[in-house]
Amino acid sequence: MRRLFPLSPESSPSAYEDREWSLDELADAYAYPAGGSGGWLRANMVSSLDGAAHHGGRSQPLSSAADMRIFGVLRALADAIVVGAETVRQEGYRPARAREAFAARRAAAGQAPAPVIAVISASLDLDFTAPLFTAPLVRTLLLTGDGAVPERIAAARAAGAEVVIAGAGNRVDPARAVAELAERGLTRLLTEGGPKLLGQFASAGVLDEVCLSLAPLVASGDASRITNGPVLVEPERFALASVLEESGFLFTRYRRA
């Protein structure tokens, strides 16, 4: 892996050499901004050269070993991983695990041993017998609307999940979801999609950062882009923060301008 941007005379020459980066180096490179009591929402997504966010319904075919290392580091830095119900179902989400390599860093930041998985679901149509609900290291959160079926809410709570009302009727308000998580001290937020959820966050104006892995692959087909939501009245500008490269994959990081 090597750094392509930013180029700084103060940086060590080794930052630009093609070598394996340590987990600590990656964690420093992707550190959340310091300070602030509101939530900072970071997205981590992968895309093919022709814009596909998945292949065959899953993101894994577009990934690489380096992409998975960064994926793991971003999870290890987060207070909460925010994900849509459809992605939970398609990707077979499991609880986040505690990693010894990040234990001291998380303890120093006042974080739990592992990030919370926060699932956004209006219908609560989820398998509550899955390990995500029955065996998490940190209690799973479910964000839903106040019109959710009471029986599904009861089933979720019986399975051990914490249900958070973050919207009216049968929808979840993206801005309110971020605020509800921040009120619980979960301010370092990471969303892994899917595209529909990410589109909702973008349309609500609460997406602060995008970490996009660009795979040197062409997928064709009709896969969605990394966002699939309401059209913004004006496209929102993001500023390039960093670019890393390994084996033709570009690992970009953009922050809202």
Coordinates of all heavy atoms in Angstrom, one line a residue, residues 43 45-47 51 53 193-203 207 210 212 223-230 232:
A43 N -19.3 7.0 5.7 CA -19.7 5.9 4.9 C -18.5 5.1 4.4 O -17.5 5.8 4.0 CB -20.6 6.4 3.7
M45 N -17.9 2.3 1.4 CA -18.5 1.6 0.3 C -17.4 1.2 -0.7 O -16.3 1.8 -0.7 CB -19.6 2.4 -0.4 CG -20.7 2.9 0.5 SD -21.8 1.6 1.1 CE -22.8 1.3 -0.4
V46 N -17.7 0.2 -1.5 CA -16.9 -0.2 -2.6 C -17.6 -0.1 -3.9 O -18.8 -0.4 -3.9 CB -16.3 -1.7 -2.3 CG1 -17.5 -2.7 -2.3 CG2 -15.3 -2.0 -3.4
S47 N -16.9 0.2 -4.9 CA -17.5 0.3 -6.2 C -16.6 -0.2 -7.3 O -15.4 -0.1 -7.2 CB -17.9 1.8 -6.5 OG -18.3 2.0 -7.9
G51 N -19.2 1.7 -11.7 CA -20.2 2.2 -10.8 C -21.0 1.2 -10.1 O -21.9 1.6 -9.3
A53 N -22.2 -1.1 -7.1 CA -22.0 -1.2 -5.7 C -22.0 -2.6 -5.2 O -21.6 -2.9 -4.1 CB -23.0 -0.4 -5.0
G193 N -24.0 1.1 4.4 CA -25.1 1.0 3.4 C -26.2 0.1 3.9 O -26.4 -0.1 5.1
G194 N -27.0 -0.4 3.0 CA -26.7 -0.4 1.6 C -27.0 0.9 0.9 O -27.2 2.0 1.5
P195 N -27.0 0.9 -0.5 CA -27.2 2.1 -1.3 C -28.4 2.9 -1.0 O -28.4 4.1 -1.0 CB -27.2 1.5 -2.7 CG -26.4 0.3 -2.7 CD -26.7 -0.3 -1.3
K196 N -29.5 2.2 -0.7 CA -30.8 2.9 -0.4 C -30.6 3.8 0.9 O -31.0 4.9 1.0 CB -31.9 1.9 -0.2 CG -33.3 2.6 0.0 CD -34.4 1.6 0.1 CE -35.8 2.3 0.4 NZ -36.9 1.3 0.5
L197 N -30.0 3.2 2.0 CA -29.8 3.9 3.2 C -28.9 5.0 3.0 O -29.1 6.1 3.5 CB -29.3 2.9 4.3 CG -29.0 3.6 5.6 CD1 -30.3 4.2 6.2 CD2 -28.4 2.5 6.6
L198 N -27.8 4.8 2.3 CA -26.8 5.8 2.1 C -27.4 7.0 1.3 O -27.1 8.1 1.6 CB -25.6 5.2 1.3 CG -24.4 6.2 1.2 CD1 -23.9 6.7 2.5 CD2 -23.2 5.5 0.5
G199 N -28.3 6.7 0.3 CA -29.0 7.7 -0.4 C -29.8 8.6 0.5 O -29.9 9.8 0.3
Q200 N -30.5 7.9 1.5 CA -31.3 8.7 2.4 C -30.5 9.6 3.3 O -30.9 10.7 3.6 CB -32.1 7.7 3.3 CG -33.2 6.9 2.5 CD -33.8 5.8 3.3 OE1 -33.3 5.5 4.4 NE2 -34.8 5.1 2.8
F201 N -29.3 9.1 3.8 CA -28.4 9.9 4.6 C -27.9 11.1 3.7 O -27.9 12.3 4.2 CB -27.2 9.1 5.1 CG -27.5 8.3 6.3 CD1 -27.1 6.9 6.3 CD2 -28.2 8.8 7.4 CE1 -27.4 6.2 7.4 CE2 -28.5 8.0 8.5 CZ -28.1 6.7 8.5
A202 N -27.6 10.9 2.5 CA -27.1 12.0 1.6 C -28.2 13.0 1.4 O -27.9 14.2 1.5 CB -26.6 11.4 0.3
S203 N -29.4 12.5 1.1 CA -30.5 13.5 0.9 C -30.8 14.3 2.1 O -31.3 15.4 2.0 CB -31.7 12.7 0.4 OG -31.5 12.0 -0.8
L207 N -24.5 13.2 5.8 CA -23.4 12.4 5.5 C -22.1 13.3 5.5 O -22.0 14.3 4.7 CB -23.6 11.8 4.1 CG -22.5 10.9 3.6 CD1 -22.3 9.7 4.5 CD2 -22.8 10.4 2.2
V210 N -17.1 10.2 3.1 CA -17.3 9.0 2.3 C -15.9 8.4 2.1 O -15.0 9.0 1.5 CB -17.9 9.3 0.9 CG1 -18.0 8.1 0.0 CG2 -19.3 9.9 1.0
L212 N -14.5 5.6 -0.1 CA -14.9 4.8 -1.2 C -13.7 4.0 -1.8 O -12.7 4.6 -2.1 CB -15.4 5.7 -2.3 CG -15.8 5.0 -3.7 CD1 -16.9 4.0 -3.5 CD2 -16.1 6.1 -4.7
A223 N -26.6 -3.4 -11.4 CA -26.4 -3.1 -10.0 C -26.5 -1.7 -9.7 O -26.1 -0.8 -10.5 CB -25.0 -3.6 -9.5
S224 N -27.0 -1.3 -8.5 CA -27.2 0.1 -8.2 C -25.8 0.7 -7.9 O -24.8 0.1 -7.7 CB -28.0 0.2 -6.9 OG -27.4 -0.4 -5.8
R225 N -25.8 2.1 -7.9 CA -24.7 2.8 -7.5 C -24.5 2.7 -5.9 O -25.3 2.1 -5.3 CB -24.8 4.3 -7.9 CG -25.0 4.5 -9.4 CD -25.1 5.9 -9.7 NE -26.3 6.5 -9.1 CZ -26.5 7.8 -9.1 NH1 -25.7 8.7 -9.7 NH2 -27.6 8.3 -8.5
I226 N -23.5 3.4 -5.4 CA -23.3 3.3 -3.9 C -24.4 4.1 -3.2 O -24.7 3.8 -2.0 CB -21.9 3.8 -3.4 CG1 -21.8 5.3 -3.7 CG2 -20.8 3.0 -4.1 CD1 -20.6 5.9 -3.0
T227 N -25.1 5.0 -3.9 CA -26.3 5.6 -3.3 C -27.5 5.4 -4.2 O -27.3 5.4 -5.4 CB -26.1 7.2 -3.1 OG1 -25.8 7.8 -4.3 CG2 -24.9 7.4 -2.1
N228 N -28.6 5.2 -3.6 CA -29.8 5.0 -4.4 C -31.0 5.6 -3.6 O -31.7 4.9 -2.8 CB -30.1 3.5 -4.6 CG -31.3 3.3 -5.4 OD1 -31.8 4.2 -6.1 ND2 -31.8 2.0 -5.4
G229 N -31.1 6.9 -3.7 CA -32.1 7.6 -2.9 C -32.7 8.8 -3.6 O -32.5 9.0 -4.8
P230 N -33.4 9.7 -2.9 CA -34.0 10.9 -3.5 C -32.9 11.8 -4.2 O -31.8 11.9 -3.6 CB -34.7 11.6 -2.4 CG -34.9 10.5 -1.3 CD -33.8 9.6 -1.5
L232 N -30.9 15.0 -4.9 CA -30.6 16.2 -4.2 C -30.9 17.4 -5.1 O -30.7 17.3 -6.4 CB -29.2 16.3 -3.8 CG -28.8 15.6 -2.5 CD1 -28.9 14.1 -2.6 CD2 -27.3 16.0 -2.1

